[in-house]
Structure formats: C-alpha cells, structure tokens
Amino acid sequence: MDEQKRLLLAVVLSVVVLVGYQTFFVKPPVPNNLPQEVQNQNADQQQVQKKSQNVSEYKAESSVLPQKTELQNKNYRTISVSTPLYDIAISEYGAAVRSFELKDFKATNKKDSPLKQLVPEQLVSGTLFFDLKDKSIPGLKDAIYKANIDTSETSVVKGEKTIEFILGTSRGIVVKKIFTFKADSYMIDCDIVFQNGSDMPLKDSLVISTPGFFDEETKKRSRFAFEGPVVFINEEYTAIDPDDIEEKSTYDGEIGWSGYSERYFMTAVMPGKNNAGGEIDAAIKLSFKNDIITTDYIQKMDRLDPGQQGGYSFIFYMGPKSLKILGSYDNSLKNAINLGFFNVIAKPLLITMNMIYSVIPNYGVAIILLTILIKLIFWPLGTKSYKSMNEMKKVQPLMMEIREKYKNDKQKMNQEIMGLYKTYKVNPASGCLPLLVQMPIFFALYRMLYQAIELRHAPFVGWITDLSAPDRLFHFNFSIPMMQEPYGIPMLTLLMGASFLLQQKMTPTAGDPMQAKMMMLMPIFMTVIFINFPAGLVLYMFVNNIISMGQQYYIQKKLS
C-alpha cells in the first residue's frame, strides 16, 4: 500500500467513521457538578415557605375552572414584556409562554429576517405551562388566570419587574404563578404559590412542561447536532433520543434541570431546593405524539393544610446555547453546552476560538488561526508520518517486483514483503499512526464547528456570509443532485477538493492501475461528502490540507 493511498484512505475512513458515529452512536452522558442554585432564588423560596399566612390576606376572584369548550367564550389577555434581550408573551390562558423572540438573533441571515422565535407555532398551548399530576385542582392547565397588571404591554429597561398571574377556584384555593424578569439576563425567576382556603389538605405533584416540535426534518438535522429533550440528572448531561421514548419515558434521580434543546437554543426549567434544603423528590416524564415531544418535570409537593400557603421556586431559561452566556450564570446550565463523546477536547477548542475572536473579530480568521495552532502542536507527529511515507516510497519499486514475481503465491509474497520491511527498517504502520492520533481532534473540531452558536450567521469574506451553513457562490432556482438548499456553486468546498487532489499528486506512485483509478476518485468523494457541511468545517479542512502539503513538501525536499 503506497503512502498516498494510506494517507487518503485514513482521511476517508475518518469521514466514514464520523458519519457513522453521528448516525448510530448514542451520546453518552458527561459528568459534571450538581447545580448551585442562585442565592436569591433560595432566599425567596424560603421566605414564601415560612410565611404560612392566612389565605384571607390574599384575596382573588373565585370561580369555577372553565372547561376547554368554554374557553372560546372567555376573555383573556396576553401580556407582552420587552427586555433588552428578548420579547416574551404570556397568556392568561394557562399562564403559559406563547411567544419568545430573541432580539440578538434572527431566524435567518437575510436582511429582512424576523427575530428568532423559540415557541414554534405548532406548540398551540405554548411552553412552560404547569399542572398537577393527580388533578387535585381539575382543569388547572386550561384555566384562565388574571394578571396583576393594568396594561397588556410593559418593558424592563433596567433592574427587574415582577408580574403575578392569579387564579381563584370555587374551592377557595388560590394559585399564583409569579414571573420575575431581569433586564440583563435570559433567566426568568418563577414562583408557583398555593394558598389553601379550602377545608381539605392539598397534596399533589407539580408538573412543568417544556414541549418541542420534532418532525421528520428535525430528525434529519438531529443526526449531526442533537435536537430533542435534554436533562441534567445525577450530575450528568443526558440527551434523550426521541426514538427511545416509547421504550423508556421516565427518568428518576437528582434533577438539575430539564428541557428541550435545538441546535443553537434551548428552553429549560431548573428547580429550587425544597423547604428543608435537601434533595428534591422529582422525576422526568416524556411523551411523543403528533410530532410534539413533551418533557414534564414532576416535583412532589409538601402537604398543604387548610389556611396555609406553600410555594415552589424555579428558574426558566429560554435563550442561546452560548458558553459565554451560560458560563456567566452560577448554576449547572453551562453543562447544556455538550459536544458529544469528544466534549473534553471540543470545549477547550471552542474557548480557544473565542479567545482568538476577542482579538481578531472574524470567526473565519479565528478558525484559520486555530487550525494553524493545532498543526503546530502536531507538527512533530506530521513530520514523522511524512518521513515514514518517504521511506515507503523508496522501497515501492522493490515491492512491485515482489508482487509481480509472487503474484500466484500470496503467502510467499507476504513473507518477502515483510522481509523487505525488516531489511530496510520500514514500518508501514508508522505513517498512519500519527494520523490516527489526530482523529479525536478532527471529530472534536467537527462537533464544535457544527454546534457553536458563535458561528451562526457569522460572516467570513466575500460570498461566505454564514460559517454555520454550506458555502454557496451565487444562488440557483433549480435543484442540484446531492446538494441541499440553497443551491449554488460550493466554491470553498471545490477548493478543498482541489487541495485533496494536489496532495495526492505530490506523491505519485506506480501502483496497481485499478487502485490508481480508485485513488483518483477520492478527492471527488471527499468533495461530495463535504458539499453540505458548514463552511466553517470546510474552511478548517481546506487550511489543514494547505498546511499539510507545505509540511510534506518541506520534508520531501529535506530528505531528497
């Protein structure tokens, strides 16, 4: 096997393994620390729990909870809150979040693109709504609350603002869902308070739901960057494959948070601590029906006797999966940035890329400099590989003679070839080993560049206006085989394919004609494989090939 064949075959095998890994490999959990709850959240919760005031001090309009069929005739408002980071709309119907638009992120990279919406229209009930597991208060999910605000629109320019959604029942139980919005944070504090004015104790389990839309198109995307239900349980990040929900739908343990994750964004609910400060009795229950995956966070409530009040504190997060943003919070949500099996390598690469960007504010340049840095670190291994390839090239004519001489005796041929390796002190595996050592870096870079929100809609130069999307020079209004939309000339991908071809031409060998033809097809194969990959990843491969060719040329000249 000649050196060029081994080099290209190693690259091809790595890509094949990569695609197979993305398709079939179940992402294992990545251990980390338990969440450290925000101090204010704990203080607020303890204050609510200790009050135990008479319910008569918290008057609310009492009414029979409406049935779904009656809701159409009820008047209820949608309260819109604007902060510097987002616009949120909460309906009095169910006190659910019906809309959440991120002001710093657009849906597409087009100039007239709307803002990124985290509550798709398919979620007709919204998200972050709650109910009771055993229906101690029937129809709670579909009840109409009353917001304690006169206007339907408000804003939080600085500091924070609290809005209460209040529900009174004919049994005398008052339910409050209290939101606290902060001007400088995607975190939303939420207290759920029960005031028991009935003559019976209340004991049930809270259910907070974070649904997500998961159709066939989402399933295809999820093969490369996970989308679906996620949970931080028993100090481990766990992404739950929707195909596994029917087999296992309940997860018990120490729940740090749960929610639904897209490629770049997520919705999550994080519980506070219980009154005693110990472990919360909670579980996760999932369901998948009509393209809607619902993740229910279920927390057991303490017994609430008549005339008493009890409250439960939570933190809701709706926003980007940004390491910089999530890392600024003092809790475990930073573990939502999970890059799969090679997370331990990919995260430092992401941090390094962001550090480069802080100096040179162009992520394309940051990828180029990161590639150069990685090549410098592995320069000795690359040098060893190219030296081995050069040695193999010298014995190539002798190997061809042996193959021709013993073509009818495979056993004798192998013995002679092994003797040739021993005589010339050549190790055929030494050229491939350095490449195999670098494979984890390639996989980690792939995951990082594919999932880093920093690259979303990030321009580089010229026609490359989005490093998270395939590069296209010009846009065509007709489809092209093997190419995903948008259709156009994948110029950077073609340049990468040309670099593979040049790298192959640098070490011509007189091998088997059939093998030579197969090797000539490898650059085409690689180009097709990468045609729909993000431009950031293609840029890395192109720069890596250019540097590798330079190193190979230098070694060959030095040893010639």
Side-chain angles (χ1 to χ4, degrees), residues 363-383:
Y363 274 110
V365 175
I367 291 173
I368 292 174
L369 295 179
L370 179 63
T371 307
I372 293 173
L373 177 61
I374 293 172
K375 290 299 292 185
L376 288 176
I377 294 174
F378 286 96
W379 191 270
L381 281 175
T383 298

Side-chain angles (χ1 to χ4, degrees), residues 207-320:
V207 180
I208 301 181
S209 302
T210 50
F213 180 64
F214 193 91
D215 60 358
E216 284 299 319
E217 184 63 29
T218 310
K219 185 175 182 179
K220 291 178 182 178
R221 296 198 308 265
S222 185
R223 291 183 302 171
F224 300 99
F226 179 79
E227 296 189 35
V230 290
V231 58
F232 191 68
I233 180 171
N234 296 329
E235 304 183 22
E236 297 177 346
Y237 169 91
T238 302
I240 302 170
D241 190 333
D243 291 336
D244 296 337
I245 292 178
E246 184 175 353
E247 180 179 345
K248 182 179 180 181
S249 61
T250 303
Y251 293 80
D252 300 302
E254 295 183 34
I255 311 296
W257 48 262
S258 67
Y260 188 88
S261 174
E262 299 180 20
R263 178 178 175 183
Y264 296 118
F265 306 94
M266 72 177 297
T267 298
V269 53
M270 172 181 290
K273 294 181 179 179
N274 60 19
N275 191 34
E279 181 180 338
I280 296 174
D281 188 354
I284 300 298
K285 177 73 175 179
L286 297 111
S287 61
F288 189 6
K289 185 178 181 181
N290 298 328
D291 292 336
I292 302 295
I293 298 176
T294 302
T295 305
D296 288 335
Y297 170 82
I298 304 174
Q299 178 174 325
K300 188 175 181 180
M301 299 167 56
D302 296 327
R303 176 189 173 100
L304 188 65
D305 291 323
Q308 300 298 311
Q309 170 179 295
Y312 301 86
S313 296
F314 301 90
I315 293 178
F316 296 157
Y317 179 84
M318 299 185 74

Side-chain angles (χ1 to χ4, degrees), residues 19 129 154 200 261 311 460 532:
V19 175
F129 49 83
T154 186
M200 296 290 292
S261 174
F460 177 33
N532 295 314

Side-chain angles (χ1 to χ4, degrees), residues 375-391 430-432 434-435 438 547-548 550-556 558-559:
K375 290 299 292 185
L376 288 176
I377 294 174
F378 286 96
W379 191 270
L381 281 175
T383 298
K384 183 178 180 180
S385 176
Y386 292 128
K387 284 182 178 180
S388 176
M389 291 169 62
N390 193 67
E391 292 171 355
S430 62
C432 293
L435 294 173
Q438 298 178 61
I547 299 174
S548 296
Q551 185 179 12
Q552 186 176 355
Y553 179 79
Y554 170 76
I555 297 299
Q556 287 178 341
K558 184 178 180 180
L559 297 178

Side-chain angles (χ1 to χ4, degrees), residues 26-264:
V26 178
K27 303 172 181 64
V30 180
N32 209 308
N33 297 328
L34 281 171
Q36 300 176 359
E37 309 301 335
V38 179
Q39 297 300 318
N40 290 338
Q41 173 196 4
N42 292 338
D44 291 344
Q45 176 193 342
Q46 292 173 6
Q47 185 178 6
V48 170
Q49 293 280 4
K50 290 178 180 178
K51 282 184 178 179
S52 300
Q53 298 176 349
N54 189 288
V55 179
S56 61
E57 297 181 28
Y58 299 90
K59 293 294 184 182
E61 180 182 354
S62 297
S63 61
V64 178
L65 293 178
Q67 299 297 318
K68 275 189 176 182
T69 55
E70 300 174 352
L71 284 174
Q72 302 299 328
N73 300 322
K74 296 289 183 177
N75 293 322
Y76 56 87
R77 298 181 297 163
T78 297
I79 309 301
S80 298
V81 181
S82 178
T83 79
L85 297 177
Y86 59 84
D87 289 327
I88 184 174
I90 303 176
S91 174
E92 289 182 327
Y93 172 21
V97 177
R98 294 303 180 90
S99 174
F100 197 97
E101 291 184 333
L102 299 169
K103 291 186 175 181
D104 292 335
F105 301 90
K106 291 188 175 182
T108 69
N109 63 348
K110 296 180 180 179
K111 291 183 179 180
D112 58 347
S113 171
L115 297 177
K116 173 62 181 178
Q117 172 64 254
L118 294 191
V119 186
E121 60 182 7
Q122 292 84 358
L123 303 183
V124 293
S125 297
T127 188
L128 293 172
F129 49 83
F130 88 100
D131 201 348
L132 294 181
K133 180 182 177 183
D134 296 329
K135 310 300 181 183
S136 298
I137 305 177
L140 184 60
K141 175 186 171 183
D142 301 306
I144 297 178
Y145 292 69
K146 178 67 175 178
N148 69 336
I149 184 172
D150 295 331
T151 63
S152 296
E153 296 183 1
T154 186
S155 62
V156 187
V157 178
K158 61 180 180 179
E160 60 184 44
K161 177 171 289 188
T162 296
I163 299 177
E164 296 185 9
F165 288 78
I166 307 170
L167 172 70
T169 73
S170 58
R171 290 176 53 192
I173 297 177
V174 177
V175 183
K176 293 185 178 182
K177 192 174 183 182
I178 307 169
F179 294 90
T180 301
F181 309 96
K182 302 173 184 177
D184 59 350
S185 176
Y186 291 101
M187 299 287 219
I188 301 172
D189 292 337
C190 181
D191 292 313
I192 298 177
V193 179
F194 295 90
Q195 302 162 352
N196 191 357
S198 72
D199 56 358
M200 296 290 292
L202 177 65
K203 190 172 184 180
D204 210 318
S205 295
L206 269 173
V207 180
I208 301 181
S209 302
T210 50
F213 180 64
F214 193 91
D215 60 358
E216 284 299 319
E217 184 63 29
T218 310
K219 185 175 182 179
K220 291 178 182 178
R221 296 198 308 265
S222 185
R223 291 183 302 171
F224 300 99
F226 179 79
E227 296 189 35
V230 290
V231 58
F232 191 68
I233 180 171
N234 296 329
E235 304 183 22
E236 297 177 346
Y237 169 91
T238 302
I240 302 170
D241 190 333
D243 291 336
D244 296 337
I245 292 178
E246 184 175 353
E247 180 179 345
K248 182 179 180 181
S249 61
T250 303
Y251 293 80
D252 300 302
E254 295 183 34
I255 311 296
W257 48 262
S258 67
Y260 188 88
S261 174
E262 299 180 20
R263 178 178 175 183
Y264 296 118

Side-chain angles (χ1 to χ4, degrees), residues 389-418:
M389 291 169 62
N390 193 67
E391 292 171 355
M392 285 294 297
K393 182 179 178 180
K394 292 178 180 178
V395 301
Q396 204 50 245
L398 297 176
M399 290 177 60
M400 294 303 299
E401 291 180 6
I402 293 174
R403 289 196 177 101
E404 181 64 27
K405 184 176 181 179
Y406 299 103
K407 60 182 178 181
N408 297 322
D409 189 346
K410 297 295 183 181
Q411 183 175 357
K412 182 66 174 177
M413 179 194 299
N414 292 332
Q415 290 176 351
E416 291 293 325
I417 289 177
M418 294 303 296

Side-chain angles (χ1 to χ4, degrees), residues 264-546:
Y264 296 118
F265 306 94
M266 72 177 297
T267 298
V269 53
M270 172 181 290
K273 294 181 179 179
N274 60 19
N275 191 34
E279 181 180 338
I280 296 174
D281 188 354
I284 300 298
K285 177 73 175 179
L286 297 111
S287 61
F288 189 6
K289 185 178 181 181
N290 298 328
D291 292 336
I292 302 295
I293 298 176
T294 302
T295 305
D296 288 335
Y297 170 82
I298 304 174
Q299 178 174 325
K300 188 175 181 180
M301 299 167 56
D302 296 327
R303 176 189 173 100
L304 188 65
D305 291 323
Q308 300 298 311
Q309 170 179 295
Y312 301 86
S313 296
F314 301 90
I315 293 178
F316 296 157
Y317 179 84
M318 299 185 74
K321 290 165 57 178
S322 164
L323 187 61
K324 180 179 179 180
I325 293 174
L326 293 179
S328 67
Y329 301 133
D330 187 22
N331 55 47
S332 64
L333 271 178
K334 60 179 68 70
N335 293 285
I337 310 296
N338 188 284
L339 302 171
F341 188 73
F342 296 100
N343 190 61
V344 68
I345 302 174
K347 270 193 177 179
L349 292 175
L350 176 57
I351 293 172
T352 303
M353 183 181 71
N354 287 334
M355 290 176 61
I356 296 174
Y357 178 81
S358 66
V359 179
I360 306 175
N362 185 303
Y363 274 110
V365 175
I367 291 173
I368 292 174
L369 295 179
L370 179 63
T371 307
I372 293 173
L373 177 61
I374 293 172
K375 290 299 292 185
L376 288 176
I377 294 174
F378 286 96
W379 191 270
L381 281 175
T383 298
K384 183 178 180 180
S385 176
Y386 292 128
K387 284 182 178 180
S388 176
M389 291 169 62
N390 193 67
E391 292 171 355
M392 285 294 297
K393 182 179 178 180
K394 292 178 180 178
V395 301
Q396 204 50 245
L398 297 176
M399 290 177 60
M400 294 303 299
E401 291 180 6
I402 293 174
R403 289 196 177 101
E404 181 64 27
K405 184 176 181 179
Y406 299 103
K407 60 182 178 181
N408 297 322
D409 189 346
K410 297 295 183 181
Q411 183 175 357
K412 182 66 174 177
M413 179 194 299
N414 292 332
Q415 290 176 351
E416 291 293 325
I417 289 177
M418 294 303 296
L420 182 66
Y421 290 156
K422 185 176 181 180
T423 300
Y424 286 89
K425 298 180 180 180
V426 174
N427 183 358
S430 62
C432 293
L433 184 59
L435 294 173
L436 294 176
V437 172
Q438 298 178 61
M439 289 305 169
I441 298 294
F442 173 80
F443 291 140
L445 268 170
Y446 166 77
R447 292 305 299 270
M448 186 272 283
L449 295 176
Y450 199 91
Q451 293 184 237
I453 192 173
E454 291 81 357
L455 301 185
R456 183 180 186 267
H457 301 168
F460 177 33
V461 292
W463 73 95
I464 305 177
T465 58
D466 187 352
L467 287 166
S468 69
D471 78 288
R472 300 287 188 260
L473 179 61
F474 307 122
H475 285 181
F476 304 143
N477 58 2
F478 54 86
S479 62
I480 299 176
M482 308 296 293
M483 182 182 291
Q484 297 176 359
E485 293 187 83
Y487 306 113
I489 302 175
M491 183 57 67
L492 183 60
T493 310
L494 293 175
L495 291 174
M496 184 208 68
S499 69
F500 274 114
L501 181 61
L502 288 175
Q503 197 170 20
Q504 178 180 324
K505 290 289 187 180
M506 286 183 65
T507 53
T509 56
D512 183 9
M514 182 59 68
Q515 290 182 355
K517 291 180 181 180
M518 290 297 295
M519 295 307 297
M520 287 296 294
L521 294 176
M522 289 303 175
I524 299 176
F525 173 76
M526 295 298 293
T527 302
V528 173
I529 286 291
F530 276 79
I531 197 171
N532 295 314
F533 277 19
L537 182 62
V538 179
L539 178 63
Y540 161 75
M541 288 299 298
F542 175 62
V543 175
N544 183 76
N545 286 351
I546 297 298

